[in-house]
Amino acid sequence: MKTRFNRRSLLLLAAGAAFATVSLPGCGRQDEAKPLVALEIDPRTTCDLDGMLLADYPGPKAQIHFVGLATPMFFCDTVELFNTLLRPEQVRAIAAVFVQNMGKADWEQPRGQWIDAKAGIYVLDSKRHGSMGPTIASFAQEADAQAFVKQWGGRVLRYAEIKPEMVDLSGGALHDSRM
């Protein structure tokens, strides 16, 4: 069976192929242009590592948005977040990471105030505890972090300065009297 294309059919076919070629890359750019936003926790939001209800515990919370997943992975503590991020076996592509700005959020019941974790300023070794005991306080402004250090002790670090040995999870539960 012999198929014949006339001039009009060929032009329509070529136009369709050109439209598809131009349209597909544009679709990807639209998706990429949408900035990811942090999702708010509610009374039912649980920590993906241990199942704890985030709303029941003090201190900064965190979330990782992985590429290709519709919902983020939630953490009831920033130590758990950094422990997950800094593990050598963590190879999933990350779209965004958010922590709470404790310069504005209530320590005892933190809600909202999400910031990009990579832009955050952190305080390690303070006397202030989070859901799992000693935690890493997260801030949007260095002045807020310095004020926190004056009141609660600790040292100020940038995101890239936090190392795996600083976020060991082996003793966190030992410090939590509410578990």
Side-chain angles (χ1 to χ4, degrees), residues 17-146:
F19 177 77
T21 303
V22 170
S23 297
L24 289 177
C27 289
R29 281 191 216 111
Q30 285 177 342
D31 290 343
E32 292 168 18
K34 292 180 187 175
L36 280 173
V37 294
L39 296 183
E40 190 49 64
I41 61 173
D42 65 38
R44 298 175 314 274
T45 306
T46 59
C47 176
D48 283 85
L49 293 184
D50 55 30
M52 293 171 59
L53 291 170
L54 274 63
D56 288 351
Y57 295 92
K61 311 298 181 248
Q63 54 188 279
I64 300 175
H65 293 251
F66 290 103
V67 173
L69 294 180
T71 57
M73 183 176 192
F74 283 101
F75 299 89
C76 59
D77 193 282
T78 51
V79 174
E80 291 178 333
L81 166 77
F82 282 106
N83 182 273
T84 299
L85 288 174
L86 298 174
R87 278 193 215 154
E89 64 269 18
Q90 196 322 89
V91 294
R92 293 180 286 181
I94 295 172
V97 180
F98 297 101
V99 293
Q100 289 179 301
N101 175 11
M102 300 314 290
K104 296 197 182 247
D106 174 3
W107 189 275
E108 294 304 317
Q109 294 183 329
R111 299 292 183 274
Q113 305 302 326
W114 296 100
I115 60 171
D116 177 357
K118 289 184 180 180
I121 309 293
Y122 298 91
V123 176
L124 180 71
D125 298 329
S126 80
K127 294 175 189 146
R128 205 81 209 255
H129 285 192
S131 65
M132 300 301 288
T135 193
I136 301 172
S138 47
F139 298 91
Q141 304 294 322
E142 186 162 357
D144 291 336
Q146 294 293 353

Side-chain angles (χ1 to χ4, degrees), residues 82 85-86 117-122 157-166:
F82 282 106
L85 288 174
L86 298 174
K118 289 184 180 180
I121 309 293
Y122 298 91
L157 298 169
R158 303 283 187 252
Y159 180 87
E161 295 175 307
I162 299 173
K163 305 296 178 211
E165 60 272 9
M166 299 173 181

Side-chain angles (χ1 to χ4, degrees), residues 6 20 61 93 149 171:
N6 63 25
K61 311 298 181 248
V149 167

